[in-house]
Amino acid sequence: MTDSALIELVERSNRIGEDPSLVVYGGGNTSAKETFVDHLGRAQQVMWVKGSGADMRGSVASDYPGLRLAELIALRDRGEMSDEEMTDLVTRALLDPASRRPSIETLLHAFLPFRHIDHVHADAICALTNHAEGRTVTLAALGEGFAYVDWLRPGFELSKVVGELSEYEGVVLAHHGLVTWAEESDACYQRTIDVVERAREFVAANRIAPGRPPRHEDIPEDELRRLLLNLRGAIGQTGHRVLRVDSRLRQVADHPQVEEIAAGGVSSADHMLRIKPRSVVVGSAASARVDVDEYRDEYLAYVERCADRMPEGYSVHDPMPRVALVPGVGAITSGGTLRDAEIAADIAAHTHEVARTVLESFGSPEPLSEADTFDFDYWPMELYKLTLKPPPAEFSGRIVIVTGAASGIGRGISLELAARGASVVLADLDASGLDEVGDQIVRAGGAEPLTMAGDQSDSAVVDTTVHRTVRHFGGLDGVVLNPGVGVTGTLTELTNEQWQTAMNVNLTSAFALTRASMQVMQEQGLGGALVYVASKNAFGPGAGFGAYSVSKAGMVQLMRIAALEGGKHGIRSNAVNPDAVFDNSKLWDGGLREERAAAHGIAPEELEDFYASRNILGRRVTTADVAQSVAFLLSDRSSRTTGSVLAVDGGVAGAFPR
Ligand SMILES: [Zn+2]
């Protein structure tokens, strides 16, 4: 048994996948044909082809299902065939029924009689085709050896058309890409590279002398933050997303004809799956909401005009843009996580650079016709790729700041929120503790957090934390105010300094964070949720623990005022009252454990059990218990709850909320 062609195919595809000017994120496909001896010892002609949605970069053999070639070629004499029927018939030819679904372009590979075939969505090829003179320019660039096929959505018809072109050296597909072939794998790769290079050189030779590229003035930082908040507020009307600033598209965004570039649409049709058919151009913070509303209205009007083409069982996609081109900034892209937003930016960088190249080499870039755009935008075969992704997590696209995040309750809350898909900002004085929590989140598959080491009882540090959050993730949805220092001593013993420390760390810092957070939440206009981690002591104080108890009682009152003032902006404010949470907590270090144990007349190591025996349920309270309650109060599941206190103390009658 030999599978050397498959090994060559994977190796070649990996090389192609490493070059984003050829393919990005699952675009394009490759194949190889050979005689293969199956599990029953039968020798037969087999074609390996890339699976639907598989990314060539880093792909492995299982990404390339094998098919019995004779059963594919037998389909060639059919007249018309729907996508569903084609998918069904192609699936029946699989060597292994458990393989991933083969590419929608499988038959195109099968109908060409070559051992190795590459199909890439190369930028340089799309630059040749995406304008009124595409056919003429492609002929001039690549010569008679290359066939030119006007836009045709991938499927049976395109496969038959391309299958008839085997006397050429390759095929250029307008608004789509390139198909090339060879008998040897290396020669096939080399052919792809050579043709793309010829296209690139031709485009460059035709480019108008760039002169001094126009440059829009940099947008000042505070204006950029306002722009992010307004943009996020506008696109967040249909769901929360994080925003990411990308300067790679600065030259496109600063271009005097940026509107024309955006109107050129996507360079290769499959890009619209990730970044929609168009991007929005946003002028300033002041215009962001109007610009996005106009984009949304235009998108909905386009869907309305094409309503009779809507496939059964489908409805309008989210009408908000994925990519905003902003002069003086570059691109601002959106997604459930920063990584998703980065993928959108990677694709946008290629798509819009192609349109800019077209504009500067051959005149106005032309998108697909509206009907063709719609047929791709709402193509079930392409949308199938989205079903391969896990459904969005509960807090996908939500941005939450957690203070005191390096240990104890704050750490537990941060891990829980990240596990539920939140983009979290971890703030604490303890930098190495923050790094540990950050690593733990990433190892568990959570979105990369932003860490802010600093003293959050300093209001300047608090303002910086909130500003950097907006700059990094685009906005703010939730804040967990979890400062905590346990200051002990009777009122006759406490020094001014000790009292002040408890107030500063536990209460004044919470005020500063409340103020800064509510300011940005109000500007953003998506509401928000504040959760104060107070204490059972707020309602059930302890002798010898006055400074702490007063600070936590003040925090509950602060929470109520925030609820009163935030309500009309949709900002909810609630508190949790935990008691005696020990795991990972630093609160008990520095003598507090010994002091409290002495106050109750027990040994320090008996303290956890003592507290557990004291509550009504007779159970220890853990950081995970507190984290569940905080997550509830941050989520839409508590959307009608504000100004309330949720006790997480195992039940302490003397501290029932009131
Ligand atoms: Zn393609």
Side-chain angles (χ1 to χ4, degrees), residues 518 522 527 560-573 642:
M518 287 179 76
Q522 286 178 21
R560 292 177 177 131
I561 306 295
L564 288 171
E565 295 179 3
K568 64 175 177 289
H569 303 286
I571 301 170
R572 298 184 299 109
S573 171
T642 192

Side-chain angles (χ1 to χ4, degrees), residues 26-29 103-105 108-109 119-121 151 154 158 173 175-179 268-270 376 385:
N29 36 64
S103 162
I104 188 71
E105 283 158 328
L108 181 152
H109 289 263
H119 165 51
V120 295
H121 298 167
W151 168 255
L158 179 64
L173 306 172
H175 295 278
H176 184 172
L178 174 72
V179 186
S268 182
D270 71 319
F376 203 95
K385 293 178 185 173

